[in-house]
Amino acid sequence: MPGLGTFPVSVKVDGRRIVIVGGDDEALAKARLAARTRAETVVIAPEFEADFSALDVKLVERHAAPCDFFGAALAFVADHGAAGARARRMARLAGVPANEVDVPGNCDFFTPAIIDRAPISIAISSEGAAPVLARLVRARIESVLSPRLGDIARLAGSMRAKVSRLLTDGVSRRRYYEDLVTAPALERALESGQGEAVADALLSRHAARQPSGAGVVWLIGAGPGAVDLLTLRAQRLLQEADVIVHDQLVPDAVVEMGRRDAERVSVGKAKGHHSFSQAQINTLIVRLASEGKKVARLKSGDPMVFGRAGEEVAALRKAGIDYAIVPGVTSALAAAADTATPVTLRKVSSGFVFATAHGADNQDLTHWAALAQSGLTLGLYMGKSIAAKVASDLMARGLSGQVPVGVVVNAGRADKSLHAGTIAGLASGQAEFAEGPAIIFIGPAVASGDWAGAAELMRQQSRVA
Ligand code: SAH
C-alpha cells in the first residue's frame, strides 16, 4: 500500500532516559547514538562484551527489570533471545516505545540515518526497508549543508529576545532571519567568534529599515573537469550562488551543478576567445556583488594557479566586497594522479615547479633547465602548442635530452590522452596531441609514473620507465 507506515517526529529526550538492553556491539552502536543526545543513557546487560568506556553512559550489570523502563523516553533492545523479548514486554507495559535492533517486525519505531548539526537534525528513514539507501541519501544531503549549520541555528535562536523587541511585525522578523542565516559573512564571522557581532549589526540595520543586502564573491576552483573532483564546499556554494560567472574551461556539467534558477555568465577566456577582458570580468563581479548578489566565480583547476585570481581579489578588496576562495584540484596534480607520477620522490625529486610555458623568457628557461637537471619536476601549463620549441630551448640551456617527459591532455577527464618520452623526443616536434588543455611534465620522477598506453613523443625512441 502506498503512503508512509511511520510518522516522523522528534522525541524530546533532554533530561530523560534512553534504555538500551544488551552488552554487545549492536548495543554499543545504539549507545553511541543515544550518548550524542542530552538524555541519560542507561545500558543494561548481565555482562558487557563491547567496550563502552569511551561513552558517557550508565552501565547496569544485570537483567532488565520493569522499573528500568518507567518514565524512559525510548528503549533499544539488542538482545534477540528470551531476555530481549521480556525486555520489550516490560517496555510496552511501561508505555515506552521499543526498537529491537535490526528486527523491523519487533519495532515500535525506527532509527533513521541522522544528520546531527545540533540543534538542527535531519532524519532519513526507510521504515527499516533500506537503511543502506537511507545512509547514501544522508551523505548527499550532508554534502550540501554547511558544517556550521548548528552554530547558525544557535545564533539565530540566541537573537530571539532582541529581535522581538526591535522588530515588531512578523514580516520584518522573518526578513531579518532570512538575511541572517544567508549572510555571506556569517560563516567566517562564526569561525572567528564574531557571529553575534554580525547578527547585532544586521539587526540594527533592519531596525533602522536599511537591510544591507551585501553581496559576496566566491572564487571557486572547479578542478580539472570531472564533476566528482569538485570539493564539497564548492558544491555547496554553487548551490547558494545567485550568479555563476565561469571560464570557458569549466565543463557544462560542473556549471550545471548550480541552482537551476541561478544566472550563468560565461566569460570565455579560452585560448583565442577573449570574449571578456580581465578588466571587464573584474568590473562584472564587483557590480554583481554590489547589487547584493552571491557570485560564484568558477575557475578551472585551482583559482590561485594561473587563474588571474590576484587581479580579481585586488578589485574586490578595492571595492570593499566580501570574498572567499575555495581551492580546487589544479590540473598538474590531476595529471600526476592520472599517471601515478609522484611529483616529489625521495632521492630523485626534492620538489616541483609549476610554471607557464606561454610567455616564458630567456631567464625562465635557463632557470627551469637547471632545476629539471637537478631533479626537480617541472609541470608546464599552457605549453601544448609551443611544446617542441620549449623542449629545444631547454636543451639549448643545458638540459639533457634524455630527461623523461610526459604529457597529459584533458587530465582528470574521461577523454584524457597521454604521451611519454624524453626531452629530445618532445623537441623533435613529431607528437600530435589531441584537442584540449595539456600539462607537460619534465624531470626524472616522471619515469616512476605509470604511462601505460601513452603514445611516443618521437618515433623510434626508447620509452621512459
Ligand atoms: N587554474 C587552472 C589553470 C588555468 S590556465 C588550474 O589550476 O589547473 C589553463 C591551463 O591549465 C591550460 O593551458 C592547461 O595547461 C591547464 N589545464 C587546465 N585544465 C586542464 C586539464 N583538464 N588537463 C590538462 N591541463 C589542463
Side-chain angles (χ1 to χ4, degrees):
M1 211 171 54
L4 289 174
T6 58
F7 185 75
V9 291
S10 295
V11 178
K12 227 179 194 175
V13 295
D14 192 8
R16 297 182 68 194
R17 191 164 10 102
I18 296 179
V19 180
I20 295 166
V21 177
D24 62 1
D25 282 342
E26 267 189 346
L28 178 65
K30 296 303 172 200
R32 214 175 266 134
L33 272 185
R36 273 165 38 184
T37 68
R38 290 205 297 264
E40 179 197 20
T41 304
V42 182
V43 189
I44 308 170
E47 58 181 321
F48 294 98
E49 296 141 39
D51 180 6
F52 289 78
S53 61
L55 299 178
D56 180 19
V57 300
K58 185 172 155 200
L59 301 181
V60 180
E61 203 164 343
R62 57 165 170 74
H63 279 293
C67 61
D68 294 325
F69 298 93
F70 293 128
L74 298 169
F76 290 95
V77 179
D79 176 325
H80 305 294
R86 265 199 309 280
R88 278 192 288 115
R89 268 197 306 279
M90 289 187 261
R92 198 153 294 162
L93 278 173
V96 178
N99 168 300
E100 182 175 339
V101 181
D102 276 343
V103 185
N106 287 342
C107 288
D108 302 320
F109 68 93
F110 299 109
T111 38
I114 296 169
I115 296 171
D116 175 358
R117 301 273 208 284
I120 302 269
S121 68
I122 299 169
I124 301 111
S125 171
S126 66
E127 299 189 354
V132 174
L133 180 62
R135 281 200 291 275
L136 289 177
V137 173
R138 174 184 61 187
R140 296 190 67 164
I141 297 176
E142 282 268 13
S143 73
V144 295
L145 295 177
S146 159
R148 297 250 166 220
L149 196 66
D151 296 339
I152 294 172
R154 256 192 305 279
L155 176 65
S158 73
M159 295 299 292
R160 285 181 87 126
K162 278 189 250 179
V163 172
S164 314
R165 210 166 47 236
L166 287 173
L167 304 175
T168 43
D169 65 302
V171 176
S172 51
R173 278 185 218 149
R174 195 195 66 223
R175 284 214 187 103
Y176 168 72
Y177 284 119
E178 271 172 11
D179 266 7
L180 176 65
V181 300
T182 58
L186 188 59
E187 276 190 44
R188 261 205 289 171
L190 282 166
E191 250 162 56
S192 54
Q194 301 294 309
E196 210 178 317
V198 168
D200 282 338
L202 188 63
L203 181 56
S204 317
R205 282 202 298 272
H206 273 255
R209 310 247 161 237
Q210 293 168 336
S212 75
V216 64
V217 176
W218 298 303
L219 278 85
I220 300 177
V227 173
D228 57 352
L229 282 177
L230 220 62
T231 63
L232 293 179
R233 192 180 299 178
Q235 210 174 324
R236 181 163 57 76
L237 295 179
L238 275 177
Q239 289 283 325
E240 277 183 40
D242 303 308
V243 192
I244 300 172
V245 179
H246 62 94
D247 288 348
Q248 187 94 25
L249 264 180
V250 180
D252 292 346
V254 175
V255 179
E256 281 312 308
M257 293 185 76
R259 261 186 12 223
R260 211 174 322 157
D261 58 342
E263 188 187 333
R264 286 163 174 80
V265 186
S266 167
V267 289
K269 293 200 66 201
K271 207 158 171 282
H273 300 84
H274 285 274
S275 48
F276 277 65
S277 69
Q278 187 59 47
Q280 285 172 319
I281 295 173
N282 298 349
T283 309
L284 174 71
I285 56 178
V286 166
R287 177 175 61 76
L288 290 168
S290 312
E291 288 166 5
K293 292 187 175 136
K294 294 185 212 165
V295 183
R297 173 74 180 100
L298 197 54
K299 291 165 177 289
S300 77
D302 183 279
M304 310 310 274
V305 179
F306 304 124
R308 316 259 322 238
E311 290 144 81
E312 290 175 27
V313 166
L316 295 168
R317 264 200 212 127
K318 192 165 155 224
I321 284 165
D322 205 28
Y323 66 89
I325 293 156
V326 181
V329 177
T330 191
S331 39
L333 293 179
D338 283 339
T339 56
T341 298
V343 292
T344 65
L345 185 60
R346 249 168 65 82
K347 301 211 167 90
V348 176
S349 167
S350 64
F352 54 88
V353 176
F354 290 170
T356 165
H358 182 81
D361 61 18
N362 240 326
Q363 206 183 350
D364 292 329
L365 290 159
T366 308
H367 205 158
W368 299 343
L371 291 172
Q373 193 62 39
S374 77
L376 260 69
T377 308
L378 296 183
L380 298 183
Y381 290 65
M382 294 173 271
K384 201 177 72 173
S385 59
I386 49 168
K389 167 136 184 19
V390 169
S392 50
D393 284 351
L394 289 173
M395 281 172 72
R397 284 163 182 78
L399 185 60
S400 154
Q402 291 312 304
V403 169
V405 170
V407 180
V408 184
V409 185
N410 293 321
R413 305 188 189 178
D415 60 349
K416 63 174 155 289
S417 69
L418 314 178
H419 296 259
T422 60
I423 274 285
L426 184 61
S428 77
Q430 293 175 16
E432 279 177 27
F433 299 112
E435 268 294 299
I439 290 293
I440 304 171
F441 281 131
I442 301 172
V446 176
S448 294
D450 174 3
W451 294 84
E456 303 280 350
L457 285 170
M458 179 169 62
R459 284 182 284 281
Q460 287 165 353
Q461 69 168 4
S462 56
R463 285 280 309 275
V464 293

